[in-house]
């Protein structure tokens, strides 16, 4: 978190590719993706710095070895006493946002539907709370 995309690219040892068309305005919020693969991990960039990581793949784990498809109880067991629940804004009472703030100003958000994790992201608290990414 907080690195410029080119800095993160060097540390990761792989190129981070812009999601949009060449020449797109990147002065605001946008995403970059490792090796141009848009189906595994996305890095949100705001004001030139990475502020959030979205995980789309079931094979990549978040902190606590939590994956998409895991039961929400696994999140609660992994972070006892640190999970705040909110009703999912799109699916209502069948879904939740499980918010885990491990360090002031930084958090994980695990989205659930009927008790199963459907999406996960981590980063700066304000950024992870955006419901639709950069929109």
């Amino acid at each position: 978190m907080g690195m410029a995309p080119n800095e993160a690219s060097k540390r990761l040892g792989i190129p981070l590719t812009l999601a949009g068309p060449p020449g797109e305005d990147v002065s605001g919020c946008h995403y970059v993706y490792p090796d141009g693969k848009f189906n595994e991990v996305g890095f949100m960039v705001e004001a030139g710095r990475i502020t959030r990581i979205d995980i789309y793949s079931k094979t990549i784990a978040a902190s606590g070895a939590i994956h998409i498809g895991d039961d929400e109880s696994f999140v609660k067991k992994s972070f006892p006493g640190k999970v705040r629940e909110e009703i999912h804004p799109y699916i209502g009472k069948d879904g939740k946002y499980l918010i885990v703030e491990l360090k002031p100003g930084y958090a994980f958000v695990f989205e659930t539907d009927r008790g199963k994790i459907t999406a996960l992201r981590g980063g700066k608290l304000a950024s992870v709370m955006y419901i639709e990414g950069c929109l």
Side-chain angles (χ1 to χ4, degrees), residues 67-131:
H67 294 83
I68 291 173
D70 286 343
D71 194 86
E72 71 179 44
S73 64
F74 188 50
V75 175
K76 295 173 184 176
K77 288 177 190 171
S78 297
F79 303 105
K82 295 184 186 255
V83 179
R84 177 170 50 100
E85 293 185 23
E86 291 184 6
I87 293 174
H88 196 291
Y90 289 132
I91 57 179
K93 64 181 179 171
D94 286 336
K96 296 177 187 170
Y97 274 10
L98 303 178
I99 303 157
V100 180
E101 193 172 350
L102 296 176
K103 178 175 148 182
Y106 292 86
F108 287 100
V109 174
F110 301 91
E111 291 187 36
T112 70
D113 185 0
R114 294 176 187 89
K116 297 289 183 188
I117 297 169
T118 59
L120 55 102
R121 57 191 179 264
K124 289 190 174 186
L125 181 60
S127 300
V128 297
M129 294 308 294
Y130 299 154
I131 295 172

Side-chain angles (χ1 to χ4, degrees), residues 28-95:
C29 184
H30 63 280
Y31 275 85
V32 293
Y33 299 88
D35 283 332
K37 295 177 184 171
F38 306 112
N39 61 345
E40 294 185 354
V41 178
F43 296 89
M44 178 186 280
V45 180
E46 297 177 278
R49 300 286 173 188
I50 295 171
T51 60
R52 165 175 155 169
I53 300 172
D54 292 71
I55 298 174
Y56 314 118
S57 171
K58 291 181 178 184
T59 62
I60 300 172
S63 182
I66 300 166
H67 294 83
I68 291 173
D70 286 343
D71 194 86
E72 71 179 44
S73 64
F74 188 50
V75 175
K76 295 173 184 176
K77 288 177 190 171
S78 297
F79 303 105
K82 295 184 186 255
V83 179
R84 177 170 50 100
E85 293 185 23
E86 291 184 6
I87 293 174
H88 196 291
Y90 289 132
I91 57 179
K93 64 181 179 171
D94 286 336

